[in-house]
Amino acid sequence: MKKRIAIFASGSGSNAQKIMEHFKRSNDAEVVLILTNNPDAYVLQRADNFEIPSHIFDRKEFYQTDKVVNLLKNLNIDLVVLAGFLWLIPKDLLTAFPNKIINIHPSLLPKYGGKGMYGEHVHLAVLADKEPESGITIHFVNSEFDEGEVIHQSKFKIDKGDDLKMMKFKVQQLEHLHFPKVIESLLKKMKTE
């Protein structure tokens, strides 16, 4: 039986797209649902393009009901992937999927993580501190922003002329290259456990 993946995203969904592409022809796993807290998120169009169902929810549904948890359970989801999803995961979801929720973060955690540290905010902080390198971190999700156990990190050198646009480009290259592969290897480990 194929492993079943659900992806949460709040925006454009370029990482979600790469994951959907990666597993489109897989015999081992498939993306079965895209979830978003943003009714205008472009990730919904990407899900349509792949004929993958989507679910839009609001803050009340996410934090005060068990609708999202029940939806994931009813679909027999094996792995929940956060791909540019900006809300803290509620306790009931963490309890329902222990060590089965992962996130990608655009810095080398533990540096530049935590509440408010997402997207451009991260890159601008890294540039302001004149860091010699940055990268991505894929990690398990726990009850705190960006504090779960690290699964994978990849880094790049920050060159002298690098600006925000170049930082975004370099990070996205690493995300698109590594995120689908890390998901695949995690799902293979689940199979053997």
Short mmCIF file of all heavy atoms in Angstrom, two decimals, residues 47-88:
data_model
loop_
_atom_site.label_atom_id
_atom_site.label_comp_id
_atom_site.label_asym_id
_atom_site.label_seq_id
_atom_site.Cartn_x
_atom_site.Cartn_y
_atom_site.Cartn_z
N ALA A 47 -2.53 22.38 -6.59
CA ALA A 47 -3.22 21.13 -6.23
C ALA A 47 -4.20 20.75 -7.34
O ALA A 47 -4.25 19.58 -7.76
CB ALA A 47 -3.94 21.29 -4.90
N ASP A 48 -4.97 21.72 -7.84
CA ASP A 48 -5.91 21.46 -8.95
C ASP A 48 -5.18 20.91 -10.17
O ASP A 48 -5.66 19.97 -10.82
CB ASP A 48 -6.62 22.76 -9.37
CG ASP A 48 -7.87 23.02 -8.54
OD1 ASP A 48 -8.21 22.15 -7.70
OD2 ASP A 48 -8.49 24.07 -8.73
N ASN A 49 -4.02 21.49 -10.48
CA ASN A 49 -3.25 21.06 -11.64
C ASN A 49 -2.87 19.58 -11.55
O ASN A 49 -2.72 18.90 -12.56
CB ASN A 49 -1.99 21.90 -11.81
CG ASN A 49 -2.30 23.35 -12.13
OD1 ASN A 49 -3.42 23.70 -12.50
ND2 ASN A 49 -1.31 24.22 -11.97
N PHE A 50 -2.68 19.10 -10.32
CA PHE A 50 -2.31 17.70 -10.10
C PHE A 50 -3.53 16.83 -9.75
O PHE A 50 -3.38 15.66 -9.42
CB PHE A 50 -1.27 17.59 -8.98
CG PHE A 50 0.13 17.93 -9.41
CD1 PHE A 50 0.55 19.24 -9.42
CD2 PHE A 50 1.00 16.94 -9.84
CE1 PHE A 50 1.84 19.57 -9.82
CE2 PHE A 50 2.29 17.26 -10.26
CZ PHE A 50 2.71 18.58 -10.25
N GLU A 51 -4.71 17.47 -9.79
CA GLU A 51 -5.96 16.78 -9.44
C GLU A 51 -5.90 16.17 -8.04
O GLU A 51 -6.35 15.05 -7.81
CB GLU A 51 -6.32 15.73 -10.50
CG GLU A 51 -6.54 16.35 -11.86
CD GLU A 51 -6.86 15.34 -12.95
OE1 GLU A 51 -6.67 14.12 -12.74
OE2 GLU A 51 -7.30 15.78 -14.03
N ILE A 52 -5.33 16.95 -7.13
CA ILE A 52 -5.25 16.55 -5.72
C ILE A 52 -6.25 17.40 -4.94
O ILE A 52 -6.26 18.63 -5.08
CB ILE A 52 -3.82 16.71 -5.19
CG1 ILE A 52 -2.88 15.71 -5.87
CG2 ILE A 52 -3.78 16.53 -3.67
CD1 ILE A 52 -1.42 15.89 -5.57
N PRO A 53 -7.10 16.78 -4.14
CA PRO A 53 -8.08 17.56 -3.38
C PRO A 53 -7.42 18.50 -2.39
O PRO A 53 -6.30 18.25 -1.93
CB PRO A 53 -8.92 16.50 -2.65
CG PRO A 53 -8.33 15.18 -2.96
CD PRO A 53 -7.21 15.35 -3.91
N SER A 54 -8.15 19.58 -2.07
CA SER A 54 -7.63 20.54 -1.11
C SER A 54 -8.69 20.86 -0.08
O SER A 54 -9.88 20.62 -0.30
CB SER A 54 -7.18 21.82 -1.84
OG SER A 54 -8.23 22.33 -2.62
N HIS A 55 -8.21 21.37 1.04
CA HIS A 55 -9.11 21.75 2.13
C HIS A 55 -8.64 23.09 2.69
O HIS A 55 -7.48 23.25 3.04
CB HIS A 55 -9.09 20.68 3.24
CG HIS A 55 -9.94 21.03 4.42
ND1 HIS A 55 -11.31 20.99 4.38
CD2 HIS A 55 -9.61 21.47 5.66
CE1 HIS A 55 -11.80 21.36 5.56
NE2 HIS A 55 -10.79 21.67 6.36
N ILE A 56 -9.58 24.06 2.73
CA ILE A 56 -9.28 25.37 3.29
C ILE A 56 -9.91 25.45 4.67
O ILE A 56 -11.07 25.07 4.84
CB ILE A 56 -9.87 26.49 2.40
CG1 ILE A 56 -9.31 26.37 0.97
CG2 ILE A 56 -9.55 27.87 2.98
CD1 ILE A 56 -10.08 27.19 -0.05
N PHE A 57 -9.15 25.92 5.63
CA PHE A 57 -9.67 26.03 7.00
C PHE A 57 -9.32 27.39 7.57
O PHE A 57 -8.40 28.06 7.10
CB PHE A 57 -9.12 24.92 7.89
CG PHE A 57 -7.62 24.87 7.93
CD1 PHE A 57 -6.91 25.63 8.85
CD2 PHE A 57 -6.92 24.08 7.03
CE1 PHE A 57 -5.52 25.60 8.88
CE2 PHE A 57 -5.52 24.06 7.04
CZ PHE A 57 -4.83 24.82 7.97
N ASP A 58 -10.06 27.80 8.60
CA ASP A 58 -9.76 29.05 9.28
C ASP A 58 -9.20 28.76 10.68
O ASP A 58 -9.12 27.60 11.10
CB ASP A 58 -10.99 29.97 9.34
CG ASP A 58 -12.16 29.34 10.08
OD1 ASP A 58 -11.97 28.37 10.85
OD2 ASP A 58 -13.30 29.82 9.89
N ARG A 59 -8.85 29.83 11.37
CA ARG A 59 -8.22 29.69 12.68
C ARG A 59 -9.13 28.94 13.66
O ARG A 59 -8.67 28.09 14.41
CB ARG A 59 -7.89 31.11 13.21
CG ARG A 59 -6.91 31.12 14.34
CD ARG A 59 -6.38 32.52 14.60
NE ARG A 59 -5.26 32.88 13.74
CZ ARG A 59 -4.01 32.48 13.92
NH1 ARG A 59 -3.71 31.70 14.93
NH2 ARG A 59 -3.06 32.85 13.11
N LYS A 60 -10.42 29.26 13.62
CA LYS A 60 -11.35 28.62 14.55
C LYS A 60 -11.41 27.10 14.31
O LYS A 60 -11.31 26.31 15.25
CB LYS A 60 -12.76 29.23 14.39
CG LYS A 60 -13.75 28.69 15.39
CD LYS A 60 -15.09 29.35 15.26
CE LYS A 60 -16.02 28.74 16.30
NZ LYS A 60 -17.41 28.94 16.01
N GLU A 61 -11.55 26.71 13.04
CA GLU A 61 -11.61 25.28 12.72
C GLU A 61 -10.32 24.56 13.13
O GLU A 61 -10.35 23.45 13.66
CB GLU A 61 -11.85 25.07 11.22
CG GLU A 61 -11.94 23.60 10.83
CD GLU A 61 -12.10 23.39 9.34
OE1 GLU A 61 -12.77 24.20 8.67
OE2 GLU A 61 -11.53 22.41 8.83
N PHE A 62 -9.19 25.22 12.91
CA PHE A 62 -7.88 24.59 13.17
C PHE A 62 -7.61 24.43 14.66
O PHE A 62 -7.10 23.39 15.08
CB PHE A 62 -6.79 25.45 12.52
CG PHE A 62 -5.46 24.76 12.38
CD1 PHE A 62 -5.35 23.51 11.78
CD2 PHE A 62 -4.30 25.38 12.82
CE1 PHE A 62 -4.11 22.89 11.63
CE2 PHE A 62 -3.06 24.76 12.67
CZ PHE A 62 -2.97 23.52 12.08
N TYR A 63 -7.95 25.47 15.44
CA TYR A 63 -7.57 25.45 16.86
C TYR A 63 -8.69 25.07 17.81
O TYR A 63 -8.42 24.67 18.94
CB TYR A 63 -7.02 26.83 17.27
CG TYR A 63 -5.65 27.11 16.67
CD1 TYR A 63 -5.49 28.06 15.67
CD2 TYR A 63 -4.51 26.42 17.09
CE1 TYR A 63 -4.24 28.33 15.11
CE2 TYR A 63 -3.27 26.67 16.54
CZ TYR A 63 -3.13 27.62 15.56
OH TYR A 63 -1.91 27.87 15.01
N GLN A 64 -9.96 25.18 17.39
CA GLN A 64 -11.06 24.94 18.33
C GLN A 64 -11.93 23.75 17.99
O GLN A 64 -12.89 23.45 18.70
CB GLN A 64 -11.92 26.21 18.44
CG GLN A 64 -11.14 27.37 19.04
CD GLN A 64 -11.90 28.69 18.94
OE1 GLN A 64 -13.10 28.72 18.76
NE2 GLN A 64 -11.17 29.78 19.06
N THR A 65 -11.62 23.07 16.87
CA THR A 65 -12.38 21.86 16.55
C THR A 65 -11.38 20.75 16.21
O THR A 65 -10.19 20.99 16.07
CB THR A 65 -13.30 22.07 15.32
OG1 THR A 65 -12.50 22.06 14.12
CG2 THR A 65 -14.08 23.38 15.40
N ASP A 66 -11.90 19.53 16.05
CA ASP A 66 -11.02 18.43 15.63
C ASP A 66 -11.28 18.04 14.18
O ASP A 66 -10.95 16.94 13.74
CB ASP A 66 -11.15 17.23 16.58
CG ASP A 66 -12.59 16.84 16.84
OD1 ASP A 66 -13.48 17.34 16.11
OD2 ASP A 66 -12.82 16.05 17.76
N LYS A 67 -11.85 18.96 13.40
CA LYS A 67 -12.17 18.68 11.99
C LYS A 67 -10.93 18.32 11.17
O LYS A 67 -10.94 17.38 10.39
CB LYS A 67 -12.87 19.88 11.35
CG LYS A 67 -14.33 20.01 11.70
CD LYS A 67 -14.94 21.17 10.91
CE LYS A 67 -16.37 21.41 11.37
NZ LYS A 67 -16.87 22.70 10.87
N VAL A 68 -9.87 19.11 11.33
CA VAL A 68 -8.65 18.87 10.54
C VAL A 68 -8.01 17.54 10.94
O VAL A 68 -7.64 16.74 10.08
CB VAL A 68 -7.66 20.05 10.66
CG1 VAL A 68 -6.33 19.72 9.99
CG2 VAL A 68 -8.25 21.31 10.05
N VAL A 69 -7.92 17.29 12.23
CA VAL A 69 -7.36 16.02 12.71
C VAL A 69 -8.18 14.84 12.19
O VAL A 69 -7.62 13.87 11.67
CB VAL A 69 -7.30 15.99 14.26
CG1 VAL A 69 -6.94 14.60 14.76
CG2 VAL A 69 -6.28 17.00 14.78
N ASN A 70 -9.50 14.95 12.27
CA ASN A 70 -10.37 13.86 11.81
C ASN A 70 -10.25 13.64 10.31
O ASN A 70 -10.25 12.50 9.84
CB ASN A 70 -11.82 14.12 12.21
CG ASN A 70 -12.03 13.95 13.70
OD1 ASN A 70 -11.25 13.28 14.38
ND2 ASN A 70 -13.06 14.58 14.23
N LEU A 71 -10.13 14.72 9.56
CA LEU A 71 -9.96 14.62 8.11
C LEU A 71 -8.68 13.83 7.79
O LEU A 71 -8.70 12.90 6.97
CB LEU A 71 -9.90 16.02 7.50
CG LEU A 71 -9.62 16.12 6.00
CD1 LEU A 71 -10.71 15.45 5.20
CD2 LEU A 71 -9.47 17.58 5.59
N LEU A 72 -7.59 14.17 8.46
CA LEU A 72 -6.31 13.48 8.22
C LEU A 72 -6.39 12.02 8.65
O LEU A 72 -5.87 11.13 7.96
CB LEU A 72 -5.18 14.20 8.97
CG LEU A 72 -4.88 15.63 8.51
CD1 LEU A 72 -3.87 16.29 9.42
CD2 LEU A 72 -4.38 15.67 7.07
N LYS A 73 -7.04 11.76 9.78
CA LYS A 73 -7.18 10.37 10.25
C LYS A 73 -8.04 9.56 9.28
O LYS A 73 -7.71 8.42 8.95
CB LYS A 73 -7.82 10.34 11.64
CG LYS A 73 -6.88 10.66 12.77
CD LYS A 73 -7.62 10.58 14.08
CE LYS A 73 -6.71 10.63 15.27
NZ LYS A 73 -7.47 10.67 16.54
N ASN A 74 -9.13 10.15 8.82
CA ASN A 74 -10.03 9.45 7.89
C ASN A 74 -9.36 9.12 6.56
O ASN A 74 -9.72 8.14 5.91
CB ASN A 74 -11.31 10.27 7.63
CG ASN A 74 -12.20 10.33 8.86
OD1 ASN A 74 -12.10 9.49 9.76
ND2 ASN A 74 -13.07 11.33 8.92
N LEU A 75 -8.38 9.93 6.20
CA LEU A 75 -7.63 9.68 4.96
C LEU A 75 -6.41 8.78 5.19
O LEU A 75 -5.62 8.56 4.28
CB LEU A 75 -7.19 11.01 4.34
CG LEU A 75 -8.30 11.85 3.71
CD1 LEU A 75 -7.78 13.22 3.33
CD2 LEU A 75 -8.89 11.14 2.50
N ASN A 76 -6.25 8.29 6.42
CA ASN A 76 -5.11 7.42 6.76
C ASN A 76 -3.77 8.02 6.38
O ASN A 76 -2.93 7.37 5.74
CB ASN A 76 -5.27 6.04 6.10
CG ASN A 76 -6.49 5.31 6.61
OD1 ASN A 76 -6.72 5.25 7.80
ND2 ASN A 76 -7.29 4.80 5.69
N ILE A 77 -3.58 9.27 6.76
CA ILE A 77 -2.34 9.99 6.42
C ILE A 77 -1.17 9.40 7.22
O ILE A 77 -1.26 9.20 8.42
CB ILE A 77 -2.50 11.50 6.72
CG1 ILE A 77 -3.59 12.12 5.84
CG2 ILE A 77 -1.17 12.24 6.55
CD1 ILE A 77 -3.39 12.03 4.35
N ASP A 78 -0.08 9.14 6.50
CA ASP A 78 1.13 8.61 7.13
C ASP A 78 2.11 9.71 7.52
O ASP A 78 2.86 9.57 8.49
CB ASP A 78 1.85 7.65 6.17
CG ASP A 78 1.02 6.41 5.90
OD1 ASP A 78 0.84 5.61 6.83
OD2 ASP A 78 0.52 6.26 4.77
N LEU A 79 2.14 10.80 6.73
CA LEU A 79 3.09 11.87 6.99
C LEU A 79 2.45 13.21 6.66
O LEU A 79 1.87 13.38 5.59
CB LEU A 79 4.36 11.69 6.15
CG LEU A 79 5.52 12.65 6.46
CD1 LEU A 79 6.10 12.37 7.85
CD2 LEU A 79 6.62 12.53 5.41
N VAL A 80 2.56 14.14 7.61
CA VAL A 80 2.09 15.50 7.42
C VAL A 80 3.30 16.38 7.14
O VAL A 80 4.26 16.38 7.91
CB VAL A 80 1.33 16.01 8.67
CG1 VAL A 80 0.95 17.48 8.51
CG2 VAL A 80 0.11 15.15 8.96
N VAL A 81 3.26 17.10 6.01
CA VAL A 81 4.39 17.92 5.59
C VAL A 81 3.99 19.39 5.60
O VAL A 81 3.00 19.76 4.97
CB VAL A 81 4.82 17.51 4.15
CG1 VAL A 81 5.93 18.44 3.65
CG2 VAL A 81 5.29 16.06 4.12
N LEU A 82 4.74 20.19 6.34
CA LEU A 82 4.53 21.63 6.34
C LEU A 82 5.48 22.25 5.33
O LEU A 82 6.69 22.14 5.47
CB LEU A 82 4.77 22.23 7.73
CG LEU A 82 4.08 21.54 8.92
CD1 LEU A 82 4.34 22.31 10.21
CD2 LEU A 82 2.58 21.38 8.69
N ALA A 83 4.91 22.88 4.31
CA ALA A 83 5.72 23.47 3.23
C ALA A 83 5.34 24.94 3.10
O ALA A 83 4.50 25.31 2.29
CB ALA A 83 5.49 22.71 1.93
N GLY A 84 5.91 25.75 3.97
CA GLY A 84 5.54 27.16 3.97
C GLY A 84 4.21 27.39 4.66
O GLY A 84 3.38 28.17 4.20
N PHE A 85 4.02 26.69 5.76
CA PHE A 85 2.80 26.85 6.57
C PHE A 85 3.18 27.62 7.82
O PHE A 85 4.12 27.25 8.51
CB PHE A 85 2.20 25.49 6.92
CG PHE A 85 0.93 25.59 7.72
CD1 PHE A 85 -0.23 26.06 7.12
CD2 PHE A 85 0.89 25.22 9.05
CE1 PHE A 85 -1.41 26.18 7.86
CE2 PHE A 85 -0.27 25.32 9.79
CZ PHE A 85 -1.43 25.80 9.18
N LEU A 86 2.43 28.69 8.12
CA LEU A 86 2.93 29.67 9.09
C LEU A 86 2.30 29.59 10.48
O LEU A 86 2.68 30.35 11.36
CB LEU A 86 2.74 31.09 8.52
CG LEU A 86 3.43 31.32 7.17
CD1 LEU A 86 3.19 32.74 6.70
CD2 LEU A 86 4.93 31.03 7.25
N TRP A 87 1.35 28.72 10.70
CA TRP A 87 0.72 28.65 12.02
C TRP A 87 1.36 27.56 12.87
O TRP A 87 1.84 26.55 12.35
CB TRP A 87 -0.77 28.34 11.88
CG TRP A 87 -1.59 29.47 11.33
CD1 TRP A 87 -1.16 30.71 10.97
CD2 TRP A 87 -3.00 29.43 11.06
NE1 TRP A 87 -2.22 31.45 10.49
CE2 TRP A 87 -3.35 30.70 10.55
CE3 TRP A 87 -3.98 28.46 11.21
CZ2 TRP A 87 -4.67 31.00 10.18
CZ3 TRP A 87 -5.28 28.76 10.84
CH2 TRP A 87 -5.62 30.03 10.33
N LEU A 88 1.33 27.77 14.18
CA LEU A 88 1.81 26.77 15.13
C LEU A 88 0.83 25.58 15.11
O LEU A 88 -0.38 25.76 15.09
CB LEU A 88 1.87 27.37 16.53
CG LEU A 88 2.65 26.60 17.58
CD1 LEU A 88 4.13 26.51 17.20
CD2 LEU A 88 2.52 27.29 18.94
#
